């Protein structure tokens, strides 16, 4: 595994749409492992999307304290309700804002072995799914903020 450099808000790659991964192979698994190590090393991140390490690939890692989730080509297939949340981002250090996210989301993706999986998250996990999948579409949480807050 290797640490990767986290791309910051002024880098144009964060505004581009990521491409679908065609084959889940050892190279993709290595990228996912590197992304996880990078996220954990950052200290306060719950998720990381490939564009945040300079790669336009539909890859996401998330750990909300229940273990590492690795997603290839994730997409939200269902969302329910809404919740008011506060978010930050490793690519936008020390900036936090309030926004509205779905209270519950269902995500379809491939796992690190190329197998199709469906996951449902509520609360903070739903928020994290939305935040990271937005990164794959070139959307930053600051695009959705209703009010900035100090933390």
């Amino acid at each position: 595994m290797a640490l990767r450099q986290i791309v910051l808000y002024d880098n144009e790659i964060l505004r581009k749409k990521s491409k679908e991964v065609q084959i889940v192979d050892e190279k993709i698994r290595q990228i996912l492992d590197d992304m996880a190590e990078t996220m954990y090393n950052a200290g306060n991140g719950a998720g990381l999307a490939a564009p945040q390490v300079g790669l336009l690939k539909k890859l996401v890692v998330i750990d909300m304290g229940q273990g590492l989730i690795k997603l290839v080509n994730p997409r939200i297939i269902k969302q329910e309700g809404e919740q008011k949340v506060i978010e930050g981002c490793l690519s936008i250090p020390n900036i936090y804002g309030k926004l509205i996210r779905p209270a519950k989301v269902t995500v379809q993706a491939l796992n690190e072995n190329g197998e199709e999986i469906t996951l449902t998250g509520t609360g903070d996990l739903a928020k994290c799914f939305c935040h990271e999948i937005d990164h794959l579409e070139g959307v930053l949480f600051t695009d959705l903020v209703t009010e900035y807050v100090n933390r």
Side-chain angles (χ1 to χ4, degrees):
M1 290 196 285
L3 286 178
R4 294 183 179 243
Q5 183 72 39
I6 294 177
V7 171
L8 296 180
Y9 60 90
D10 56 351
N11 190 310
E12 65 184 29
I13 199 165
L14 293 174
R15 291 302 187 172
K16 295 183 177 179
K17 289 185 185 239
S18 296
K19 293 176 176 43
E20 284 213 353
V21 173
Q22 300 303 315
I23 300 170
V24 181
D25 57 13
E26 195 53 45
K27 182 178 177 187
I28 293 300
R29 285 186 280 279
Q30 184 64 56
I31 293 169
L32 288 164
D33 288 345
D34 290 354
M35 287 170 58
E37 184 178 359
T38 302
M39 175 185 69
Y40 291 134
N41 186 67
N44 60 345
L48 194 68
Q52 293 180 271
V53 292
L55 300 171
L56 285 175
K57 295 181 183 299
K58 290 192 174 190
L59 300 171
V60 166
V61 294
I62 293 173
D63 191 340
M64 298 297 300
Q66 285 85 41
L68 182 61
I69 301 169
K70 298 175 183 177
L71 302 173
V72 179
N73 300 333
R75 61 188 181 92
I76 296 171
I77 58 171
K78 185 176 181 185
Q79 53 187 36
E80 299 174 44
E82 70 176 38
Q83 60 177 332
K84 293 179 179 170
V85 299
I86 295 177
E87 290 186 21
C89 181
L90 293 174
S91 291
I92 310 172
N94 305 313
I95 302 290
Y96 301 92
K98 294 180 183 178
L99 55 150
I100 305 293
R101 291 283 193 192
K104 180 179 181 180
V105 298
T106 301
V107 173
Q108 200 168 55
L110 300 176
N111 66 16
E112 65 184 312
N113 298 313
E115 302 159 336
E116 191 168 299
I117 56 171
T118 303
L119 302 172
T120 299
T122 58
D124 283 343
L125 183 56
K127 170 181 82 169
C128 197
F129 279 149
C130 293
H131 180 108
E132 299 310 330
I133 291 171
D134 276 355
H135 271 300
L136 304 180
E137 298 300 319
V139 175
L140 301 176
F141 87 96
T142 51
D143 299 336
L144 307 170
V145 165
T146 57
E147 177 186 350
Y148 286 97
V149 296
N150 292 321
R151 276 199 130 171

